[in-house]
């Protein structure tokens, strides 16, 4: 498996074989309705990961994908995953990525609690460059719960897209809920996007802004 180091983080192409589980029900019972947040097509049950949402065209976010989520992720036809935790990717996730030709970019950010939160600026910056490169799309960004580390990266993306801070914080708080951190929001507020203004962007309304300025 080819692996490159990336500013202290791992950039790996991981690839495996994954088959969707068969759900058996007694023939006399009608099929159970899909729960909220699940999709069903042709008898196959699609279950999104925790905190899954679309960020922009070709960009998705979520908590840590479990095997039950793999069929849903296959439907997204992902090219890459940005993984924001320092722990090694589980073998089952590696196998899923390998089997589906998904490139995994790992940017290890330690999980911290206030007041000991230290968000590494350069790691977020490198992850953001990968996120902005549309050759990596469709891309899924995830950490453990899809709240803090993922929320900070998405918030910095919104700054590049020229969102106002109140809208950035509102989006962050929708996912973090009662776990929202002042330190995360301060990081997003102070994050300098000047070196990223000319990064490739061909999604949403962002391109219009950069063509005009």
């Amino acid at each position: 498996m080819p692996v490159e180091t990336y500013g202290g983080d791992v950039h790996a192409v991981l690839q495996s074989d994954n088959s969707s589980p068969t759900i058996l029900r007694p023939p006399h019972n009608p099929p159970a309705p899909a729960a909220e947040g699940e999709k069903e097509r042709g008898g196959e049950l699609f279950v999104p990961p925790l905190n899954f949402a679309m960020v922009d065209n070709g960009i998705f976010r979520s908590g840590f994908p479990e095997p039950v989520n793999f069929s849903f992720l296959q439907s997204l036809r992902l090219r890459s995953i940005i993984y924001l935790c320092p722990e090694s990717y589980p073998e089952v996730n590696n196998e899923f990525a390998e089997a589906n030709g998904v490139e995994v970019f790992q940017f290890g950010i330690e999980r911290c609690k206030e007041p000991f939160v230290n968000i590494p600026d350069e790691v977020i910056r490198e992850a953001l460059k990968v996120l902005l490169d549309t050759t990596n799309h469709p891309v899924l960004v995830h950490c453990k719960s899809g709240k803090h580390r993922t929320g900070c990266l998405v918030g910095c993306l919104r700054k590049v897209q020229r969102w106002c801070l109140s809208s950035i914080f509102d989006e962050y708080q929708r996912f973090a809920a009662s776990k929202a951190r002042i330190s995360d929001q301060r990081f997003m507020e102070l994050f300098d996007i000047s070196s990223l203004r000319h990064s490739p962007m061909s999604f949403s309304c962002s391109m219009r802004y950069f063509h005009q300025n």
Side-chain angles (χ1 to χ4, degrees), residues 50-91:
L50 175 71
N51 272 335
F52 175 84
M54 181 176 182
V55 176
D56 208 316
N57 295 333
I59 301 178
F60 307 94
R61 63 179 290 169
S62 76
F64 204 99
E66 301 291 343
V68 70
N69 309 131
F70 289 168
S71 292
F72 175 82
L73 295 184
Q74 281 180 318
S75 73
L76 302 179
R77 301 183 182 275
L78 296 174
R79 286 186 183 176
S80 55
I81 289 173
I82 296 177
Y83 172 47
L84 300 176
C85 301
E87 297 82 12
S88 299
Y89 224 29
E91 185 61 29

mmCIF file of all heavy atoms in Angstrom, residues 50-91:
data_model
loop_
_atom_site.group_PDB
_atom_site.id
_atom_site.type_symbol
_atom_site.label_atom_id
_atom_site.label_comp_id
_atom_site.label_asym_id
_atom_site.label_seq_id
_atom_site.Cartn_x
_atom_site.Cartn_y
_atom_site.Cartn_z
ATOM 1 N N LEU A 50 -23.056 8.938 11.038
ATOM 2 C CA LEU A 50 -23.454 9.928 12.027
ATOM 3 C C LEU A 50 -23.106 11.327 11.525
ATOM 4 O O LEU A 50 -22.024 11.554 10.976
ATOM 5 C CB LEU A 50 -22.711 9.654 13.334
ATOM 6 C CG LEU A 50 -22.903 10.653 14.479
ATOM 7 C CD1 LEU A 50 -24.305 10.529 15.052
ATOM 8 C CD2 LEU A 50 -21.842 10.429 15.550
ATOM 9 N N ASN A 51 -24.032 12.274 11.714
ATOM 10 C CA ASN A 51 -23.804 13.679 11.378
ATOM 11 C C ASN A 51 -23.474 13.899 9.904
ATOM 12 O O ASN A 51 -22.788 14.863 9.557
ATOM 13 C CB ASN A 51 -22.693 14.285 12.246
ATOM 14 C CG ASN A 51 -23.230 14.860 13.540
ATOM 15 O OD1 ASN A 51 -24.395 15.227 13.634
ATOM 16 N ND2 ASN A 51 -22.384 14.931 14.558
ATOM 17 N N PHE A 52 -23.982 13.033 9.035
ATOM 18 C CA PHE A 52 -23.705 13.194 7.602
ATOM 19 C C PHE A 52 -24.462 14.388 7.035
ATOM 20 O O PHE A 52 -25.616 14.644 7.377
ATOM 21 C CB PHE A 52 -24.108 11.938 6.820
ATOM 22 C CG PHE A 52 -23.958 12.097 5.331
ATOM 23 C CD1 PHE A 52 -22.725 11.883 4.728
ATOM 24 C CD2 PHE A 52 -25.025 12.508 4.553
ATOM 25 C CE1 PHE A 52 -22.565 12.056 3.363
ATOM 26 C CE2 PHE A 52 -24.866 12.679 3.181
ATOM 27 C CZ PHE A 52 -23.631 12.455 2.595
ATOM 28 N N ALA A 53 -23.801 15.138 6.146
ATOM 29 C CA ALA A 53 -24.446 16.249 5.443
ATOM 30 C C ALA A 53 -23.624 16.590 4.211
ATOM 31 O O ALA A 53 -22.427 16.315 4.136
ATOM 32 C CB ALA A 53 -24.570 17.485 6.338
ATOM 33 N N MET A 54 -24.286 17.209 3.240
ATOM 34 C CA MET A 54 -23.590 17.744 2.071
ATOM 35 C C MET A 54 -23.114 19.146 2.408
ATOM 36 O O MET A 54 -23.875 19.971 2.916
ATOM 37 C CB MET A 54 -24.527 17.782 0.866
ATOM 38 C CG MET A 54 -23.880 18.290 -0.399
ATOM 39 S SD MET A 54 -25.019 18.185 -1.809
ATOM 40 C CE MET A 54 -23.948 18.797 -3.123
ATOM 41 N N VAL A 55 -21.843 19.438 2.149
ATOM 42 C CA VAL A 55 -21.264 20.760 2.408
ATOM 43 C C VAL A 55 -21.397 21.639 1.180
ATOM 44 O O VAL A 55 -21.781 22.806 1.256
ATOM 45 C CB VAL A 55 -19.781 20.628 2.808
ATOM 46 C CG1 VAL A 55 -19.139 22.000 2.980
ATOM 47 C CG2 VAL A 55 -19.648 19.801 4.084
ATOM 48 N N ASP A 56 -21.075 21.071 0.028
ATOM 49 C CA ASP A 56 -21.125 21.781 -1.245
ATOM 50 C C ASP A 56 -21.109 20.722 -2.332
ATOM 51 O O ASP A 56 -21.024 19.532 -2.034
ATOM 52 C CB ASP A 56 -19.933 22.742 -1.375
ATOM 53 C CG ASP A 56 -20.244 23.945 -2.260
ATOM 54 O OD1 ASP A 56 -20.846 23.749 -3.325
ATOM 55 O OD2 ASP A 56 -19.914 25.077 -1.867
ATOM 56 N N ASN A 57 -21.153 21.155 -3.582
ATOM 57 C CA ASN A 57 -21.104 20.193 -4.675
ATOM 58 C C ASN A 57 -19.824 19.368 -4.580
ATOM 59 O O ASN A 57 -18.723 19.909 -4.628
ATOM 60 C CB ASN A 57 -21.141 20.910 -6.022
ATOM 61 C CG ASN A 57 -22.456 21.627 -6.247
ATOM 62 O OD1 ASN A 57 -23.486 21.232 -5.707
ATOM 63 N ND2 ASN A 57 -22.429 22.689 -7.038
ATOM 64 N N GLY A 58 -19.967 18.061 -4.397
ATOM 65 C CA GLY A 58 -18.810 17.184 -4.340
ATOM 66 C C GLY A 58 -18.110 17.124 -3.004
ATOM 67 O O GLY A 58 -17.057 16.488 -2.884
ATOM 68 N N ILE A 59 -18.656 17.778 -1.963
ATOM 69 C CA ILE A 59 -18.036 17.774 -0.631
ATOM 70 C C ILE A 59 -19.073 17.341 0.400
ATOM 71 O O ILE A 59 -20.163 17.915 0.473
ATOM 72 C CB ILE A 59 -17.486 19.161 -0.255
ATOM 73 C CG1 ILE A 59 -16.438 19.625 -1.263
ATOM 74 C CG2 ILE A 59 -16.875 19.126 1.149
ATOM 75 C CD1 ILE A 59 -15.897 21.017 -0.980
ATOM 76 N N PHE A 60 -18.707 16.342 1.207
ATOM 77 C CA PHE A 60 -19.589 15.817 2.241
ATOM 78 C C PHE A 60 -18.840 15.790 3.570
ATOM 79 O O PHE A 60 -17.611 15.780 3.602
ATOM 80 C CB PHE A 60 -20.071 14.410 1.883
ATOM 81 C CG PHE A 60 -20.695 14.316 0.516
ATOM 82 C CD1 PHE A 60 -19.939 13.943 -0.586
ATOM 83 C CD2 PHE A 60 -22.038 14.628 0.325
ATOM 84 C CE1 PHE A 60 -20.503 13.864 -1.847
ATOM 85 C CE2 PHE A 60 -22.621 14.549 -0.944
ATOM 86 C CZ PHE A 60 -21.838 14.172 -2.022
ATOM 87 N N ARG A 61 -19.589 15.752 4.663
ATOM 88 C CA ARG A 61 -19.013 15.669 6.001
ATOM 89 C C ARG A 61 -19.768 14.638 6.820
ATOM 90 O O ARG A 61 -20.955 14.368 6.559
ATOM 91 C CB ARG A 61 -19.077 17.028 6.698
ATOM 92 C CG ARG A 61 -20.495 17.529 6.928
ATOM 93 C CD ARG A 61 -20.528 18.859 7.640
ATOM 94 N NE ARG A 61 -20.104 18.749 9.041
ATOM 95 C CZ ARG A 61 -19.852 19.795 9.821
ATOM 96 N NH1 ARG A 61 -19.973 21.020 9.355
ATOM 97 N NH2 ARG A 61 -19.483 19.602 11.080
ATOM 98 N N SER A 62 -19.101 14.096 7.841
ATOM 99 C CA SER A 62 -19.786 13.120 8.696
ATOM 100 C C SER A 62 -18.927 12.800 9.901
ATOM 101 O O SER A 62 -17.786 13.259 10.033
ATOM 102 C CB SER A 62 -20.075 11.826 7.916
ATOM 103 O OG SER A 62 -18.901 11.046 7.770
ATOM 104 N N GLY A 63 -19.500 11.972 10.793
ATOM 105 C CA GLY A 63 -18.730 11.332 11.828
ATOM 106 C C GLY A 63 -18.040 10.105 11.242
ATOM 107 O O GLY A 63 -18.048 9.886 10.026
ATOM 108 N N PHE A 64 -17.460 9.272 12.114
ATOM 109 C CA PHE A 64 -16.673 8.137 11.642
ATOM 110 C C PHE A 64 -17.563 7.097 10.950
ATOM 111 O O PHE A 64 -18.531 6.620 11.536
ATOM 112 C CB PHE A 64 -15.943 7.486 12.806
ATOM 113 C CG PHE A 64 -14.721 6.737 12.396
ATOM 114 C CD1 PHE A 64 -13.474 7.317 12.520
ATOM 115 C CD2 PHE A 64 -14.818 5.470 11.861
ATOM 116 C CE1 PHE A 64 -12.334 6.628 12.127
ATOM 117 C CE2 PHE A 64 -13.694 4.780 11.459
ATOM 118 C CZ PHE A 64 -12.442 5.352 11.599
ATOM 119 N N PRO A 65 -17.262 6.735 9.698
ATOM 120 C CA PRO A 65 -18.083 5.734 9.000
ATOM 121 C C PRO A 65 -17.900 4.337 9.578
ATOM 122 O O PRO A 65 -16.776 3.894 9.801
ATOM 123 C CB PRO A 65 -17.571 5.791 7.554
ATOM 124 C CG PRO A 65 -16.768 7.051 7.457
ATOM 125 C CD PRO A 65 -16.215 7.290 8.831
ATOM 126 N N GLU A 66 -19.003 3.667 9.812
ATOM 127 C CA GLU A 66 -19.001 2.275 10.262
ATOM 128 C C GLU A 66 -19.341 1.372 9.069
ATOM 129 O O GLU A 66 -19.875 1.843 8.060
ATOM 130 C CB GLU A 66 -20.036 2.087 11.377
ATOM 131 C CG GLU A 66 -19.804 2.967 12.603
ATOM 132 C CD GLU A 66 -18.573 2.564 13.393
ATOM 133 O OE1 GLU A 66 -18.080 1.424 13.193
ATOM 134 O OE2 GLU A 66 -18.097 3.377 14.202
ATOM 135 N N PRO A 67 -19.073 0.074 9.172
ATOM 136 C CA PRO A 67 -19.375 -0.826 8.049
ATOM 137 C C PRO A 67 -20.821 -0.747 7.570
ATOM 138 O O PRO A 67 -21.082 -0.896 6.369
ATOM 139 C CB PRO A 67 -19.048 -2.214 8.620
ATOM 140 C CG PRO A 67 -17.937 -1.940 9.601
ATOM 141 C CD PRO A 67 -18.298 -0.615 10.228
ATOM 142 N N VAL A 68 -21.765 -0.475 8.472
ATOM 143 C CA VAL A 68 -23.159 -0.377 8.056
ATOM 144 C C VAL A 68 -23.381 0.802 7.112
ATOM 145 O O VAL A 68 -24.372 0.848 6.380
ATOM 146 C CB VAL A 68 -24.081 -0.260 9.296
ATOM 147 C CG1 VAL A 68 -23.908 1.096 9.985
ATOM 148 C CG2 VAL A 68 -25.540 -0.494 8.931
ATOM 149 N N ASN A 69 -22.448 1.746 7.091
ATOM 150 C CA ASN A 69 -22.569 2.931 6.237
ATOM 151 C C ASN A 69 -21.928 2.749 4.863
ATOM 152 O O ASN A 69 -22.065 3.629 4.002
ATOM 153 C CB ASN A 69 -21.898 4.140 6.898
ATOM 154 C CG ASN A 69 -22.336 4.385 8.318
ATOM 155 O OD1 ASN A 69 -21.505 4.574 9.205
ATOM 156 N ND2 ASN A 69 -23.643 4.383 8.565
ATOM 157 N N PHE A 70 -21.232 1.649 4.635
ATOM 158 C CA PHE A 70 -20.431 1.523 3.419
ATOM 159 C C PHE A 70 -21.276 1.532 2.139
ATOM 160 O O PHE A 70 -20.861 2.113 1.129
ATOM 161 C CB PHE A 70 -19.574 0.261 3.478
ATOM 162 C CG PHE A 70 -18.437 0.334 4.472
ATOM 163 C CD1 PHE A 70 -17.719 -0.805 4.819
ATOM 164 C CD2 PHE A 70 -18.081 1.542 5.065
ATOM 165 C CE1 PHE A 70 -16.667 -0.736 5.727
ATOM 166 C CE2 PHE A 70 -17.041 1.621 5.978
ATOM 167 C CZ PHE A 70 -16.332 0.473 6.297
ATOM 168 N N SER A 71 -22.431 0.894 2.155
ATOM 169 C CA SER A 71 -23.275 0.900 0.955
ATOM 170 C C SER A 71 -23.707 2.314 0.610
ATOM 171 O O SER A 71 -23.752 2.699 -0.568
ATOM 172 C CB SER A 71 -24.503 0.004 1.153
ATOM 173 O OG SER A 71 -24.125 -1.349 1.235
ATOM 174 N N PHE A 72 -24.039 3.093 1.634
ATOM 175 C CA PHE A 72 -24.400 4.490 1.392
ATOM 176 C C PHE A 72 -23.222 5.259 0.795
ATOM 177 O O PHE A 72 -23.379 6.013 -0.167
ATOM 178 C CB PHE A 72 -24.852 5.145 2.697
ATOM 179 C CG PHE A 72 -25.139 6.612 2.561
ATOM 180 C CD1 PHE A 72 -26.354 7.055 2.076
ATOM 181 C CD2 PHE A 72 -24.177 7.557 2.905
ATOM 182 C CE1 PHE A 72 -26.620 8.410 1.926
ATOM 183 C CE2 PHE A 72 -24.433 8.918 2.768
ATOM 184 C CZ PHE A 72 -25.654 9.344 2.282
ATOM 185 N N LEU A 73 -22.024 5.073 1.356
ATOM 186 C CA LEU A 73 -20.855 5.778 0.837
ATOM 187 C C LEU A 73 -20.539 5.369 -0.596
ATOM 188 O O LEU A 73 -20.103 6.203 -1.401
ATOM 189 C CB LEU A 73 -19.643 5.517 1.737
ATOM 190 C CG LEU A 73 -19.727 6.051 3.163
ATOM 191 C CD1 LEU A 73 -18.417 5.804 3.904
ATOM 192 C CD2 LEU A 73 -20.062 7.538 3.189
ATOM 193 N N GLN A 74 -20.776 4.117 -0.937
ATOM 194 C CA GLN A 74 -20.581 3.681 -2.323
ATOM 195 C C GLN A 74 -21.465 4.472 -3.276
ATOM 196 O O GLN A 74 -21.064 4.789 -4.396
ATOM 197 C CB GLN A 74 -20.883 2.188 -2.457
ATOM 198 C CG GLN A 74 -19.762 1.285 -1.984
ATOM 199 C CD GLN A 74 -20.125 -0.178 -2.146
ATOM 200 O OE1 GLN A 74 -21.257 -0.582 -1.859
ATOM 201 N NE2 GLN A 74 -19.180 -0.978 -2.591
ATOM 202 N N SER A 75 -22.658 4.813 -2.821
ATOM 203 C CA SER A 75 -23.583 5.555 -3.687
ATOM 204 C C SER A 75 -23.091 6.967 -3.976
ATOM 205 O O SER A 75 -23.535 7.597 -4.929
ATOM 206 C CB SER A 75 -24.984 5.612 -3.058
ATOM 207 O OG SER A 75 -25.023 6.507 -1.947
ATOM 208 N N LEU A 76 -22.163 7.489 -3.161
ATOM 209 C CA LEU A 76 -21.611 8.827 -3.377
ATOM 210 C C LEU A 76 -20.499 8.825 -4.415
ATOM 211 O O LEU A 76 -20.084 9.891 -4.866
ATOM 212 C CB LEU A 76 -21.067 9.393 -2.061
ATOM 213 C CG LEU A 76 -22.046 9.507 -0.896
ATOM 214 C CD1 LEU A 76 -21.337 10.074 0.332
ATOM 215 C CD2 LEU A 76 -23.243 10.380 -1.257
ATOM 216 N N ARG A 77 -19.983 7.642 -4.752
ATOM 217 C CA ARG A 77 -18.887 7.498 -5.724
ATOM 218 C C ARG A 77 -17.679 8.363 -5.324
ATOM 219 O O ARG A 77 -17.141 9.137 -6.121
ATOM 220 C CB ARG A 77 -19.355 7.830 -7.135
ATOM 221 C CG ARG A 77 -20.504 6.951 -7.612
ATOM 222 C CD ARG A 77 -20.898 7.260 -9.043
ATOM 223 N NE ARG A 77 -22.021 6.440 -9.471
ATOM 224 C CZ ARG A 77 -21.927 5.210 -9.955
ATOM 225 N NH1 ARG A 77 -20.726 4.653 -10.073
ATOM 226 N NH2 ARG A 77 -23.004 4.542 -10.323
ATOM 227 N N LEU A 78 -17.277 8.237 -4.091
ATOM 228 C CA LEU A 78 -16.185 9.048 -3.553
ATOM 229 C C LEU A 78 -14.873 8.783 -4.285
ATOM 230 O O LEU A 78 -14.558 7.653 -4.640
ATOM 231 C CB LEU A 78 -15.988 8.752 -2.072
ATOM 232 C CG LEU A 78 -17.141 9.093 -1.128
ATOM 233 C CD1 LEU A 78 -16.829 8.584 0.274
ATOM 234 C CD2 LEU A 78 -17.406 10.596 -1.108
ATOM 235 N N ARG A 79 -14.106 9.860 -4.457
ATOM 236 C CA ARG A 79 -12.730 9.742 -4.920
ATOM 237 C C ARG A 79 -11.757 9.769 -3.748
ATOM 238 O O ARG A 79 -10.659 9.215 -3.837
ATOM 239 C CB ARG A 79 -12.375 10.886 -5.875
ATOM 240 C CG ARG A 79 -12.972 10.782 -7.253
ATOM 241 C CD ARG A 79 -12.428 11.902 -8.138
ATOM 242 N NE ARG A 79 -13.031 11.877 -9.444
ATOM 243 C CZ ARG A 79 -12.802 12.797 -10.389
ATOM 244 N NH1 ARG A 79 -11.970 13.809 -10.123
ATOM 245 N NH2 ARG A 79 -13.388 12.719 -11.562
ATOM 246 N N SER A 80 -12.140 10.470 -2.688
ATOM 247 C CA SER A 80 -11.204 10.604 -1.578
ATOM 248 C C SER A 80 -11.923 10.815 -0.259
ATOM 249 O O SER A 80 -13.103 11.185 -0.220
ATOM 250 C CB SER A 80 -10.229 11.757 -1.834
ATOM 251 O OG SER A 80 -10.923 12.955 -2.079
ATOM 252 N N ILE A 81 -11.180 10.564 0.804
ATOM 253 C CA ILE A 81 -11.632 10.787 2.176
ATOM 254 C C ILE A 81 -10.559 11.601 2.884
ATOM 255 O O ILE A 81 -9.359 11.304 2.754
ATOM 256 C CB ILE A 81 -11.854 9.454 2.911
ATOM 257 C CG1 ILE A 81 -13.097 8.730 2.365
ATOM 258 C CG2 ILE A 81 -11.989 9.673 4.418
ATOM 259 C CD1 ILE A 81 -13.293 7.324 2.921
ATOM 260 N N ILE A 82 -10.971 12.639 3.597
ATOM 261 C CA ILE A 82 -10.062 13.398 4.461
ATOM 262 C C ILE A 82 -10.375 12.991 5.894
ATOM 263 O O ILE A 82 -11.464 13.265 6.411
ATOM 264 C CB ILE A 82 -10.238 14.912 4.258
ATOM 265 C CG1 ILE A 82 -9.835 15.299 2.832
ATOM 266 C CG2 ILE A 82 -9.394 15.683 5.273
ATOM 267 C CD1 ILE A 82 -10.054 16.770 2.512
ATOM 268 N N TYR A 83 -9.417 12.330 6.517
ATOM 269 C CA TYR A 83 -9.584 11.757 7.854
ATOM 270 C C TYR A 83 -8.783 12.603 8.837
ATOM 271 O O TYR A 83 -7.563 12.752 8.694
ATOM 272 C CB TYR A 83 -9.107 10.309 7.820
ATOM 273 C CG TYR A 83 -9.017 9.599 9.146
ATOM 274 C CD1 TYR A 83 -10.060 9.653 10.069
ATOM 275 C CD2 TYR A 83 -7.896 8.832 9.465
ATOM 276 C CE1 TYR A 83 -9.984 8.982 11.272
ATOM 277 C CE2 TYR A 83 -7.808 8.149 10.667
ATOM 278 C CZ TYR A 83 -8.855 8.237 11.569
ATOM 279 O OH TYR A 83 -8.774 7.555 12.765
ATOM 280 N N LEU A 84 -9.441 13.162 9.851
ATOM 281 C CA LEU A 84 -8.830 14.166 10.713
ATOM 282 C C LEU A 84 -8.425 13.659 12.095
ATOM 283 O O LEU A 84 -8.186 14.465 12.992
ATOM 284 C CB LEU A 84 -9.787 15.358 10.866
ATOM 285 C CG LEU A 84 -10.154 16.078 9.567
ATOM 286 C CD1 LEU A 84 -11.189 17.170 9.826
ATOM 287 C CD2 LEU A 84 -8.920 16.663 8.901
ATOM 288 N N CYS A 85 -8.349 12.356 12.280
ATOM 289 C CA CYS A 85 -7.948 11.787 13.573
ATOM 290 C C CYS A 85 -6.522 11.239 13.488
ATOM 291 O O CYS A 85 -6.080 10.816 12.418
ATOM 292 C CB CYS A 85 -8.896 10.663 13.979
ATOM 293 S SG CYS A 85 -10.623 11.178 14.136
ATOM 294 N N PRO A 86 -5.787 11.214 14.620
ATOM 295 C CA PRO A 86 -4.411 10.694 14.590
ATOM 296 C C PRO A 86 -4.328 9.169 14.616
ATOM 297 O O PRO A 86 -3.295 8.599 14.259
ATOM 298 C CB PRO A 86 -3.800 11.288 15.864
ATOM 299 C CG PRO A 86 -4.953 11.468 16.795
ATOM 300 C CD PRO A 86 -6.137 11.817 15.927
ATOM 301 N N GLU A 87 -5.392 8.510 15.050
ATOM 302 C CA GLU A 87 -5.375 7.052 15.143
ATOM 303 C C GLU A 87 -5.349 6.411 13.746
ATOM 304 O O GLU A 87 -5.868 6.966 12.792
ATOM 305 C CB GLU A 87 -6.591 6.544 15.915
ATOM 306 C CG GLU A 87 -6.656 6.992 17.359
ATOM 307 C CD GLU A 87 -7.227 8.390 17.537
ATOM 308 O OE1 GLU A 87 -7.786 8.951 16.560
ATOM 309 O OE2 GLU A 87 -7.095 8.954 18.645
ATOM 310 N N SER A 88 -4.756 5.231 13.673
ATOM 311 C CA SER A 88 -4.727 4.497 12.407
ATOM 312 C C SER A 88 -6.136 4.171 11.943
ATOM 313 O O SER A 88 -7.032 3.900 12.759
ATOM 314 C CB SER A 88 -3.937 3.197 12.561
ATOM 315 O OG SER A 88 -2.601 3.473 12.917
ATOM 316 N N TYR A 89 -6.333 4.205 10.639
ATOM 317 C CA TYR A 89 -7.631 3.855 10.074
ATOM 318 C C TYR A 89 -7.892 2.367 10.311
ATOM 319 O O TYR A 89 -6.997 1.547 10.073
ATOM 320 C CB TYR A 89 -7.618 4.149 8.582
ATOM 321 C CG TYR A 89 -8.859 4.839 8.057
ATOM 322 C CD1 TYR A 89 -9.621 5.689 8.854
ATOM 323 C CD2 TYR A 89 -9.278 4.639 6.733
ATOM 324 C CE1 TYR A 89 -10.734 6.322 8.365
ATOM 325 C CE2 TYR A 89 -10.402 5.278 6.227
ATOM 326 C CZ TYR A 89 -11.131 6.116 7.047
ATOM 327 O OH TYR A 89 -12.247 6.745 6.567
ATOM 328 N N PRO A 90 -9.086 1.987 10.765
ATOM 329 C CA PRO A 90 -9.375 0.563 10.971
ATOM 330 C C PRO A 90 -9.214 -0.225 9.671
ATOM 331 O O PRO A 90 -9.467 0.288 8.572
ATOM 332 C CB PRO A 90 -10.840 0.564 11.433
ATOM 333 C CG PRO A 90 -11.054 1.931 11.992
ATOM 334 C CD PRO A 90 -10.207 2.848 11.158
ATOM 335 N N GLU A 91 -8.814 -1.463 9.799
ATOM 336 C CA GLU A 91 -8.575 -2.296 8.625
ATOM 337 C C GLU A 91 -9.813 -2.409 7.747
ATOM 338 O O GLU A 91 -9.718 -2.396 6.512
ATOM 339 C CB GLU A 91 -8.113 -3.690 9.068
ATOM 340 C CG GLU A 91 -7.728 -4.602 7.908
ATOM 341 C CD GLU A 91 -6.574 -4.041 7.088
ATOM 342 O OE1 GLU A 91 -5.732 -3.309 7.660
ATOM 343 O OE2 GLU A 91 -6.518 -4.338 5.880
#
